Amino acid sequence: MTQTGAARPRVDRDERERQILDAATSVFAERGYRATSMESVASRVGVTKPVLYDHFGSKEGLLLACIARARQDLLSVTADAVADADGPEDMVRQGVRSFFRMLDENGTTWALIAEAEASDPDGPAVRALEGIRDQQTEFIAGLLGMRTPGEDRVRLEAYAQVVVGATERLALWRARRGGIDAELATEYLMDMLWSGMGHRRKRADAAQ
């Protein structure tokens, strides 16, 4: 019996999931959630549809897994960026810069988030995206608290909401406009944020 082709190498489950998530992120970003089929993702990976269902259960489950990975990646990137920062201000600067750089290096993640939010404004994907925002808000509030020890927690949460919202808007703006690199976008945000916090701190010190 003549062998007509070599057997395909077996891929372990973790590696297969990574391959599926990579492909799904790209397809969701390109086509949007509603226009994406499990068949199109399976074709991109080079597997059958049952393999996708075995790993993620449904198209919605696959989308949520993509968002969950983006959430973990973002936290890891920002946490690594601030680990060696020189003081609280530099922590915030490094964290914001790492977000913009992550978008530059992996634009499909940002496109996935934008498409998921636009495709189903009331769906579970949007709730998952809010989880990312909550995660980053809590992380940033902690950094800002180091800058202003003793500051009201609610005020710190409000500042962190401003940072998260402004960072997203800057990301959208620079994507449309072009010509704004991660360093410059970070400086724009820090000019606004840190100058304002600095003035407040000076007023508080003068009142004591």
Side-chain angles (χ1 to χ4, degrees):
M1 181 175 178
T2 304
Q3 184 175 1
T4 58
R8 296 178 63 181
R10 184 175 180 83
V11 178
D12 65 43
R13 188 172 183 86
D14 289 343
E15 174 61 17
R16 180 64 78 202
E17 287 192 355
R18 184 194 66 75
Q19 293 174 353
I20 294 170
L21 290 174
D22 286 346
T25 297
S26 297
V27 177
F28 282 135
E30 293 165 8
R31 304 183 184 185
Y33 176 72
R34 296 187 187 281
T36 293
S37 67
M38 293 292 266
E39 183 175 1
S40 63
V41 176
S43 177
R44 184 74 61 94
V45 183
V47 298
T48 61
K49 282 196 298 182
V51 173
L52 269 61
Y53 287 108
D54 176 59
H55 282 267
F56 299 102
S58 65
K59 185 172 79 166
E60 182 180 285
L62 179 56
L63 175 64
L64 293 177
C66 290
I67 294 173
R69 185 176 69 164
R71 174 176 179 166
Q72 184 56 51
D73 288 348
L74 180 57
L75 182 60
S76 296
V77 165
T78 51
D80 288 346
V82 305
D84 297 322
D86 183 19
E89 180 177 356
D90 193 41
M91 284 183 176
V92 177
R93 185 186 305 277
Q94 296 288 356
V96 170
R97 184 188 291 119
S98 70
F99 171 75
F100 289 126
R101 286 178 174 172
M102 179 180 175
L103 299 187
D104 290 343
E105 294 168 2
N106 190 7
T108 54
T109 296
W110 178 247
L112 163 73
I113 290 172
E115 285 293 341
E117 197 159 30
S119 296
D120 192 4
D122 299 317
V126 172
R127 293 192 290 274
L129 295 174
E130 282 300 313
I132 294 179
R133 294 184 178 107
D134 290 343
Q135 165 192 279
Q136 294 307 111
T137 297
E138 181 178 353
F139 183 73
I140 292 168
L143 297 182
L144 297 179
M146 297 178 66
R147 161 69 163 149
T148 54
E151 182 63 88
D152 176 57
R153 176 67 188 183
V154 175
R155 185 179 293 275
L156 292 177
E157 290 177 4
Y159 287 161
Q161 290 283 351
V162 170
V163 174
V164 170
T167 303
E168 285 192 26
R169 291 306 306 174
L170 272 175
L172 289 169
W173 170 72
R174 68 192 286 260
R176 290 194 302 264
R177 189 184 191 283
I180 307 295
D181 63 15
E183 188 69 35
L184 188 55
T186 301
E187 290 308 309
Y188 288 157
L189 185 59
M190 293 302 296
D191 285 348
M192 178 194 72
L193 171 69
W194 222 254
S195 296
M197 290 191 67
H199 287 313
R200 173 174 167 75
R201 188 65 186 171
K202 287 178 182 178
R203 289 197 302 270
D205 290 343
Q208 292 178 357

